[in-house]
Amino acid sequence: MAQDSIILPEISADNFEHAWKRFRLAAVAKEWQAEKQLLILPTLLRGNLVDYYMDLGEDEKRSLEDVKQALERKAGIKKDPIVAARYFNSRYQDDRERVMDYATQLRKAFKEAYPEEDVGSAVLLQTFLPDARSNVEKIVDPAKDSNVSSIRGKG
């Protein structure tokens, strides 16, 4: 794919995380250095993000990460860890939800709720395993399958 055919995303408060990732991927594909990314980024901002960017101090515009954090803060995009923790702790796997989708969503919620913790944390595993175990038991009769019975006994 030619570098010129890569479409740059418009970045708004509504699509911030997704569009930011797309911008970073496009910048890598176009082989832009950080300085060029900092020049292009403001032209992609939409809505209130334009005003928030214009209000940033020079120290908040030194790096892409600084700009991202400042925009998240000013636009209220960054999730409150307390709200994220409530969501994480109340998240259960839906009967029709694939285990992989559930694990991905749970991991994302965990990272928002506990940004300083390792994703291999026992807290994450303790939340994930009971739901995964109960869904396996719905599919396989634990009384007939010794492998499921042994899993059940360890819980």
Side-chain angles (χ1 to χ4, degrees):
M1 176 180 356
Q3 287 184 359
D4 294 337
S5 65
I6 296 171
I7 298 171
L8 297 174
E10 293 182 349
I11 304 172
S12 70
D14 294 333
N15 72 352
F16 189 82
E17 280 300 319
H18 182 72
W20 188 272
K21 288 175 188 174
R22 284 191 52 224
F23 169 70
R24 295 302 303 265
L25 291 170
V28 168
K30 290 178 173 279
E31 299 176 351
W32 289 343
Q33 298 300 317
E35 296 80 21
K36 185 162 186 175
Q37 292 177 50
L38 285 167
L39 288 173
I40 302 282
L41 176 68
T43 67
L44 303 174
L45 299 176
R46 299 294 179 264
N48 289 339
L49 293 182
V50 175
D51 297 326
Y52 296 143
Y53 179 83
M54 297 302 291
D55 290 340
L56 296 180
E58 289 304 313
D59 59 321
E60 295 173 302
K61 295 179 182 178
R62 286 191 185 139
S63 73
L64 284 171
E65 192 56 34
D66 289 342
V67 171
K68 181 181 182 195
Q69 288 176 4
L71 289 174
E72 286 175 329
R73 188 176 54 256
K74 286 184 177 281
I77 295 169
K78 197 68 171 171
K79 293 193 173 165
D80 181 349
I82 294 171
V83 173
R86 283 187 195 129
Y87 173 75
F88 171 76
N89 290 319
S90 67
R91 180 71 164 85
Y92 294 98
Q93 184 178 4
D94 184 270
D95 289 339
R96 291 172 277 156
E97 186 175 23
R98 294 179 335 147
V99 172
M100 200 61 199
D101 294 339
Y102 171 63
T104 301
Q105 291 300 316
L106 194 64
R107 181 174 180 253
K108 181 179 175 187
F110 177 80
K111 287 170 64 176
E112 290 172 355
Y114 307 103
E116 302 300 318
E117 290 289 326
D118 178 34
V119 293
S121 165
V123 173
L124 178 58
L125 292 174
Q126 287 170 356
T127 303
F128 173 72
L129 290 177
D131 274 353
R133 190 176 301 135
S134 77
N135 282 331
V136 167
E137 289 174 356
K138 288 176 189 172
I139 298 168
V140 180
D141 183 0
K144 293 181 182 177
D145 191 324
S146 62
N147 290 331
V148 175
S149 296
S150 66
I151 292 171
R152 183 185 227 178
K154 292 177 184 175

